[in-house]
Every structure is written in C-alpha cells, then in structure tokens.
Amino acid sequence: MPASPTGWTAIFKPYREEPIVGWDELGYPLIVDPSTGKRVDVHDLTDHEFCNAERSDPAFVGVIPGAGYTVRWDDGSTERVLAFALESGGRLRPVLDSFHGYGEPFYPEDGRTAPRLLRPADS
C-alpha cells in the first residue's frame, strides 16, 4: 500500500486499506478511487463499506543492521535485534527476532513497557 500523505488510512469491510489523501469541506475523508483515479468520499464507494480511519505508521526508508544488539524485557528475557528500521520522520525502530528469523518492527502497545536496548558489550 502506498504511504499516506496525511498520516491516516481508511479501513474498509471486507478488509481493505487505502491511504487518506485529504478531507472534503464537511470533514469526510477522501481516497483515490482506483477505477477513476479521482478523489472520492470514502462513503461513496459501493464495493466496500467504510469502517473507520486509523493513524498510519510512517513509511520505512532504510534499514541498518542490528550488529549484535539485543533488547531485555521486564521479565528478564531477551530478543535479538535483527536490524533497525529508519522511518521517514527519522525515528529508528528495532526489528526484533520475534519469530525465529522473521523480523517484526517494535511498536509499544497497550501500555507495555518498552524493552531496554543493550549494546553488544552489555549483553
């Protein structure tokens, strides 16, 4: 999916996501209709039901190797950092080895405490 220029994504049912490209004068979100290429109100699409708008994550623009870094969770367990993903806004997110070789960028969720980042010499 292309990055959203507004930082928001429209969610449809059956499941589909489209970047929100703006809002009309009444405040309704607009997307680009794939069949016409025109900006349309999300409520005007007949093939999908608009559910809600969600904040979209910034696009990743680069990756830096993990170079032996690990993270330590509150319970004392550790996970290897495969890489650091660079977001378009400049933030680095650790890509954790959560799925035994399949990386997943870390996003804090539901009040979960962020892990402590350990340099190779600290682990």
Side-chain angles (χ1 to χ4, degrees):
M1 179 177 74
S4 172
T6 63
W8 289 87
T9 301
I11 309 298
F12 295 92
K13 189 170 57 176
Y15 188 75
R16 181 175 124 196
E17 294 182 7
E18 291 290 336
I20 294 175
V21 297
W23 287 266
D24 68 10
E25 59 278 351
L26 297 175
Y28 293 120
L30 302 172
I31 65 165
V32 175
D33 184 339
S35 60
T36 65
K38 295 181 180 180
R39 292 170 20 143
V40 296
D41 180 332
V42 293
H43 300 95
D44 292 342
L45 296 180
T46 57
D47 57 339
H48 286 80
E49 176 187 346
F50 174 68
C51 296
N52 64 311
E54 293 181 358
R55 208 39 74 225
S56 27
D57 296 320
F60 291 118
V61 295
V63 178
I64 301 167
Y69 278 82
T70 57
V71 294
R72 180 174 297 139
W73 299 97
D74 284 344
D75 66 2
S77 64
T78 61
E79 285 184 68
R80 182 171 59 126
V81 176
L82 298 175
F84 293 94
L86 176 62
E87 292 179 348
S88 59
R91 177 179 290 175
L92 283 175
R93 292 215 179 265
V95 178
L96 303 179
D97 186 15
S98 301
F99 302 105
H100 308 291
Y102 176 76
E104 183 75 24
F106 173 75
Y107 293 92
E109 55 186 49
D110 300 331
R112 184 177 181 191
T113 307
R116 181 169 177 227
L117 183 65
L118 303 174
R119 296 182 304 220
D122 296 338
S123 34

